[in-house]
Amino acid sequence: MLNFEFKNPTKIIFGKGEIEKISREIPTGAKVMMLYGGGSIKTNGVYDQVIHALKAFEVVEFAGIPANPEYEVLMQALKVIKEEKITYMLAVGGGSVIDGVKFLSAAAVYQGAHPWDILTKSIRTEVGLPFGSVLTLPATGSEMNSGAVITRAETQEKLAMGGPGLFPEFSILDPEVVKSIPKRQLVNGVTDAFTHVLEQYMTYPAGAHLQDRFSESILQTLIEVGPKVIENPADYEAAANFMWSCTMALNGLIQKGVPTDWAVHAMGHELTALFGIDHARTLAIIAPSHYRYNFEAKKEKLAQYGQRVWGIQEGTVEEIATIAIAKTEDFFHAMEIKTTLGEYTDDYEGTAEKISKRFTERGWLGLGEHKTLSPSDVEKIVAMSY
Ligand code: NZQ
Ligand code: ZN
């Protein structure tokens, strides 16, 4: 096992009807900005619950943070934060709203002239403007981690940022919100969380038995409850297990003491930036090719996953590893997720070269758990995904 430090300061308040507890978590006298997306919270009752819980506070609303939170929209929110002297933010939404609020938390204290530099220069935020969240869509884990991914349509970029100051102070996870989520987003949530685990597990054996079993148990739980929640989002037990699995998949716990990959996400983000494909679907496009391309380096963990998660007992390491990749693809297909780029766009020619060039320009010369995946490898993997 590798050395590690672990601190996760986010307080989780989990369960039915817990949204009303917001008022206990925000400091008395705070001037609160409540931020949300395109309006789903207005039709599923979440908006009313939050407004009711905030009645003791002065509240400024900011609506319209889009999926793949857009820099230009966030800059409008930043202006309001400064004009209104906001002291606390509350994100009410999925990963996009929470990530948008993390950017604002960083940008509100940033002294430089161009907040976009926070993303391009990887400026880490040690202490940001404080915020909490009410999660409405289990998927990203953003509710309990310190990372964010921000999009800039003008330049077709989608870049990550983070820092220890960007954990939500608290997050309310009420599984009842799941019942209003459309199928497309539920499927995305299962796929995103599943791939988060793979990014932190599908590397090489590191002698971290507990972390491996944490990861395998999250994958098994998603395989068990994913189809149930897609079939019936009002199934509270399935929704609760789905929600907690998504949070646990990316709150830092399973990555401690082990090597991590994250190349699938790096390539996937480019597909969202270039084609607007939903984040989770870009991962399903890239992951099978990534595991086939890096088969030799990853075959031991692929086989362990095949045995423990998919129950494949017969065969050599190579055979089990090969079946495990196919099982992963089948799992995505069973949720009606398409796994090749050509099924999302006819305009895919040249994508591999374009992504490889961008990685070279950014100096991303060695991705993956061994830091050896070059832009030319990336080009081959993306081309395999057409
Ligand atoms: O905008 P509204 O109207 O609220 O609708 C949203 C949105 O259109 C809708 N929705 C959310 N909760 C709902 C609901 N509809 C009905 N009922 C509800 N209860 O769902 C749509 C998608 O929402 P979004 O927040 O975009 O989805 P998700 O949570 O999948 O977030 C995706 C974003 O997170 C980033 C992705 O790149 C992408 O930008 N990621 C963030 C990560 C992190 N911070 O750790 C890690 C991930 O790997 C990922 O990159
Ligand atoms: Zn993801």
Side-chain angles (χ1 to χ4, degrees), residues 192 196 265 279 283:
D192 194 22
H196 290 162
H265 272 69
H279 168 65
L283 308 176

Side-chain angles (χ1 to χ4, degrees), residues 20 114 131 168 177 194 203 223 231 282-283 361 378:
E20 65 179 35
H114 305 290
F131 66 97
V177 301
F194 198 87
T203 57
I223 291 166
E231 175 69 31
T282 67
L283 308 176
E361 285 164 2
V378 163

Side-chain angles (χ1 to χ4, degrees), residues 98-106 131 142 145-148 161 166 168:
I98 302 173
D99 281 10
V101 167
K102 287 178 181 174
F103 168 77
L104 292 169
S105 170
F131 66 97
S142 188
N145 70 39
S146 60
M161 56 175 281
L166 296 180

Side-chain angles (χ1 to χ4, degrees), residues 187-188 190-192 194-195 198-199 264-265 268 271 277-292 325 328-333 335-341 343-344 384-385:
V187 165
N188 285 350
V190 175
T191 305
D192 194 22
F194 198 87
T195 314
L198 295 181
E199 295 269 39
V264 174
H265 272 69
L271 297 182
I277 302 168
D278 291 352
H279 168 65
R281 290 165 199 260
T282 67
L283 308 176
I285 294 169
I286 298 290
S289 304
H290 181 62
Y291 297 137
R292 289 194 176 106
I325 300 172
T328 311
E329 256 175 340
D330 291 347
F331 180 58
F332 296 149
H333 291 157
M335 294 187 291
E336 294 171 18
I337 293 246
K338 301 182 178 98
T339 53
T340 64
L341 185 57
E343 290 170 288
Y344 294 86
M384 278 168 73
S385 309

